[in-house]
Amino acid sequence: MRRQNLAVVLGTIAGQSPLSRADVAGHTGLTRAAVSSLVDELIGRGALTETETAPSGRVGRPGRALTVSDRGPAGLGLEVGVTHLGACVVDLRGEPRVWRRVERSHAGRSAGQVLTELAALGAEVEGEAAGLGLRVEGRVLAVPGVVPSAEPGLVENAPNLGWHAVRPADHWPDQDTVPAPENEANLGALAEYWQGEHGAETFVHVSAEAGIGAALIVDGQLFRGARGFAGELGHIPVHPDGVPCPCGARGCLEQYAGEAAVLREAGLAASGDPVALLSERAGAGDPAALRALERAGRALGLALASAVNLIDPDGLVLGGAYAELAEWLLPAVRAELAARVTVRPWPPEALRPSALGRRGALLGAALLTVRQLIADPTRLPLA
């Protein structure tokens, strides 16, 4: 019961701070004595700070305000992309305090090489965070691959990295800092739910870089499927007799709306930052780039129409690279949705780009620890 009440108090302050102790009692229904005891413990665990507010003009002592601490407990997010590594530290308020992204092609590199380099980047970022008074309490790795529910430490398959049955712990130099792997699309969707301004409780979040991933939030909870394979939107067939896909099927969405397919259709080479290049060319009115993005938008609309008809979500969110290319993708996607979602009302504004863009997966990796700590403050050591 005390653990639950600690979570209620911390969650209330995290969502509405600054609050006084009396405010917290009013919001939670707990007695002032209980709130005072719980707040003192949360301060002792480094989760809260209490400061004097400005004088109110009333007789008596100045009020005191409780806020979530910007020092102490924090979460470390790590990310492996096909062409980059990332690391960030987020404090208990959900604010990124250290952020690092390193462009690096992983073509032909082993999982061990990539993970050793990522561990060094993570240690560097963690050290920088320590200089800000932050203490990392958990580490999560965003990876573009399948992390089965039954084996949470395993990356079963990450085809765009060439990884099969990879356990990050087997390649991590410091066993005390091994991160828990999680699918990057899932983390992007969770970041959108926690920090987006959509207000939707049930939505599909679709993102893309080298591949296409999707995640489903249902009533505020991530839906993983029976074995953790939910969200493989990139392998929904949009043209059943279409071009072969490396997965073994034909006509998969990735072959029409994936990064490589769009670049190929636009007549562009995959070098540097492909998303920035596509954006630049489309913004300049390049006919080939515009045609490629329109074709990708139609294919994406086909797949998303199936998702809407099956799931009946409140909304659809374009994340990752799609968010940065939304200006040119949205018209075609919306046209397909309007033509194919006919059994229920579907307002065009229910489809929107994410404000997090390509930052979503890494931010979600760091936020996962923070949210777990808020849900169970007893994970935090007492000072």
Side-chain angles (χ1 to χ4, degrees):
M1 179 64 74
R2 186 170 183 84
R3 175 184 297 175
Q4 180 179 336
N5 287 340
L6 284 167
V8 167
V9 169
L10 182 55
T12 298
I13 296 169
Q16 304 179 64
S17 64
L19 296 174
S20 68
R21 295 185 184 221
D23 292 334
V24 175
H27 282 296
T28 63
L30 296 168
T31 67
R32 291 197 181 191
V35 166
S36 184
S37 173
L38 294 164
V39 163
D40 287 343
E41 180 173 338
L42 290 168
I43 291 173
R45 292 183 184 274
L48 295 179
T49 59
E50 190 172 31
T51 58
E52 288 191 0
T53 62
S56 64
R58 292 180 294 186
V59 176
R61 296 171 56 190
R64 296 179 68 80
L66 293 162
T67 60
V68 176
S69 179
D70 63 353
R71 298 171 66 84
L76 173 66
L78 299 160
E79 182 179 19
V80 174
V82 176
T83 59
H84 72 276
L85 297 174
C88 77
V89 173
V90 169
D91 64 25
L92 277 186
R93 303 171 305 171
E95 295 291 332
R97 303 291 295 281
V98 185
W99 191 280
R100 198 76 51 80
R101 179 181 167 112
V102 178
E103 301 303 321
R104 186 87 77 248
S105 174
H106 299 134
R109 304 183 73 207
S110 70
Q113 291 173 311
V114 173
L115 290 167
T116 298
E117 187 173 342
L118 181 62
L121 179 64
E124 182 181 328
V125 166
E126 197 166 332
E128 189 174 338
L132 300 175
L134 295 166
R135 181 183 70 254
V136 169
E137 295 287 349
R139 301 158 185 86
V140 176
L141 168 62
V143 61
V146 174
V147 179
S149 302
E151 297 186 70
L154 173 71
V155 180
E156 184 166 310
N157 188 27
N160 290 313
L161 290 174
W163 290 10
H164 303 281
V166 170
R167 294 184 183 277
D170 293 341
H171 306 282
W172 211 257
D174 181 358
Q175 291 298 297
D176 292 331
T177 65
V178 176
E182 176 58 275
N183 174 263
E184 51 88 22
N186 288 346
L187 292 169
L190 287 170
E192 184 68 27
Y193 179 69
W194 292 326
Q195 297 210 331
E197 298 179 356
H198 48 83
E201 290 291 308
T202 298
F203 64 92
V204 178
H205 181 278
V206 55
S207 57
E209 285 198 39
I212 297 173
L216 176 60
I217 301 292
V218 178
D219 295 333
Q221 300 294 317
L222 178 67
F223 177 77
R224 294 178 180 276
R227 296 189 62 245
F229 285 71
E232 289 295 326
L233 191 78
H235 297 288
I236 284 183
V238 292
H239 297 292
D241 296 320
V243 299
C245 180
C247 75
R250 300 183 71 91
C252 294
L253 177 63
E254 278 191 9
Q255 302 309 306
Y256 298 89
E259 182 182 280
V262 178
L263 287 171
R264 185 171 58 249
E265 184 74 9
L268 300 173
S271 62
D273 184 341
V275 178
L277 177 60
L278 280 166
S279 181
E280 178 186 342
R281 291 294 182 90
D286 182 308
L290 292 172
R291 281 196 305 271
L293 288 167
E294 195 269 342
R295 175 178 181 260
R298 290 200 312 271
L300 186 57
L302 280 169
L304 289 176
S306 297
V308 171
N309 285 324
L310 179 65
I311 299 163
D312 186 28
D314 297 321
L316 301 171
V317 181
L318 300 186
Y322 285 154
E324 297 183 24
L325 298 169
E327 178 181 348
W328 303 283
L329 291 170
L330 283 175
V333 178
R334 284 183 170 141
E336 290 292 339
L337 288 168
R340 298 175 186 282
V341 180
T342 58
V343 297
R344 55 153 285 178
W346 182 259
E349 62 272 16
L351 168 69
R352 61 172 185 81
S354 169
L356 301 178
R358 285 187 279 175
R359 303 172 75 246
L362 181 54
L363 182 60
L367 283 170
L368 187 56
T369 291
V370 167
R371 302 295 298 196
Q372 289 170 342
L373 294 174
I374 291 174
D376 182 7
T378 61
R379 293 169 177 251
L380 297 169
L382 279 165

